[in-house]
Amino acid sequence: MSIIVPANTLAASGFDVDNSLRFGSNTYLTNTFGSSPTLATKCTLSMWFKRSSTGALQQLMSANNNAASIVINSNDTIAFYNNSGDVSGQLLGPRLYRDTSAWMHFVFATDTTQGTASNRLKVYINGVLETSFNNTGYPEQDVASALGTNGGDVKIGTRTQNDRIFEGYIAETAFVD
């Protein structure tokens, strides 16, 4: 199963991305998963985004009542969550993301079958594996991901409660289980 926002193509003018979507002023995308995941212990979310404002709490993605989410905090750090029930999976990076002129790409990969806890959640930003975090919490081994469950909702550009609206552009969003 996958969710795809149309592929980006660099325009001749340089930094405009064809088929990107502008978010803000209560705009967001929503979808409900219509089938069970192929393998609930493994999934990957990939997204390109470009911020328009800084210094505000914004949500790039949320699913299943915020059990899985990607948050840009008001201090311009990014937090990744993929929880299931009482099992916490969270990564809060120390880096600041304040560049409103550049596109950024991230991949958030979950594989709870891994024996080493730190291998169960991985974050790549602009192709580089992030290994330094201010706060970490890894899910238990073989726990099902909160992202992609049958009947579960996913929202791009907001949180489940339709607040924390993302201000900026998002392109080429893909989820694969």
Side-chain angles (χ1 to χ4, degrees):
M1 124 180 48
S2 58
I3 300 168
I4 300 175
V5 174
N8 69 340
T9 307
L10 291 178
S13 62
F15 296 106
D16 294 330
V17 176
D18 292 341
N19 301 319
S20 63
L21 299 175
R22 172 75 168 102
F23 289 81
S25 301
N26 292 322
T27 56
Y28 55 89
L29 299 174
T30 186
N31 184 55
T32 301
F33 290 100
S35 62
S36 296
T38 307
L39 185 57
T41 55
K42 297 180 182 184
C43 65
T44 302
L45 178 75
S46 171
M47 180 184 292
W48 285 89
F49 68 98
K50 179 180 176 184
R51 298 184 70 190
S52 294
S53 66
T54 60
L57 185 60
Q58 299 177 29
Q59 197 100 5
L60 282 166
M61 181 280 302
S62 72
N64 293 349
N65 257 350
N66 302 316
S69 60
I70 300 168
V71 179
I72 301 175
N73 295 301
S74 57
N75 66 356
D76 299 316
T77 60
I78 298 180
F80 300 85
Y81 302 93
N82 197 352
N83 306 318
S84 184
D86 294 332
V87 179
S88 174
Q90 64 176 334
L91 301 174
L92 173 61
R95 297 180 197 264
L96 301 178
Y97 297 94
R98 294 184 174 148
D99 190 350
T100 58
S101 65
W103 281 90
M104 291 183 273
H105 179 252
F106 71 75
V107 172
F108 182 43
T110 300
D111 181 355
T112 64
T113 65
Q114 294 293 316
T116 304
S118 62
N119 288 336
R120 295 180 196 145
L121 296 179
K122 291 188 177 184
V123 175
Y124 297 84
I125 298 180
N126 294 331
V128 177
L129 175 64
E130 291 292 317
T131 57
S132 176
F133 299 100
N134 288 340
N135 190 6
T136 59
Y138 297 102
E140 293 178 12
Q141 190 170 13
D142 297 322
V143 169
S145 170
L147 186 57
T149 58
N150 185 20
D153 67 325
V154 62
K155 293 190 176 187
I156 305 294
T158 189
R159 149 172 112 135
T160 302
Q161 291 82 355
N162 300 332
D163 60 354
R164 299 182 182 176
I165 300 294
F166 174 70
E167 297 282 338
Y169 296 87
I170 297 177
E172 204 169 295
T173 300
F175 170 77
V176 179
D177 71 17

